[in-house]
Amino acid sequence: MRICLALAVATAALGLGLRLAVPVAPVDASFREVVRFYKAMQAREPGSNTPETSVP
């Protein structure tokens, strides 16, 4: 039990350390374009969150 707890604490500390050490990648223009596309699709068809996989 103590080993599990120690591993959990070590994993959490490592994750937090990596999160603080590695900068978050900025959002680029192509990603923003994809988000705008899906928002427009959702506005046209609000009944489904995955219209591309829905049965026609």
Side-chain angles (χ1 to χ4, degrees), residues 1 12-13 17 25-26 28 30 33 42 48 55:
M1 166 116 167
D28 61 350
S30 61
E33 185 179 338
Q42 189 177 18
S48 173
V55 177

Side-chain angles (χ1 to χ4, degrees), residues 3-50:
I3 293 174
C4 255
L5 181 60
L7 281 172
V9 170
T11 303
L14 179 64
L16 182 61
L18 282 173
R19 175 65 181 93
L20 294 173
V22 179
V24 177
V27 176
D28 61 350
S30 61
F31 179 76
R32 286 189 186 123
E33 185 179 338
V34 169
V35 170
R36 273 194 299 262
F37 173 75
Y38 278 103
K39 280 185 181 179
M41 282 180 60
Q42 189 177 18
R44 283 184 280 157
E45 195 174 320
S48 173
N49 65 345
T50 55

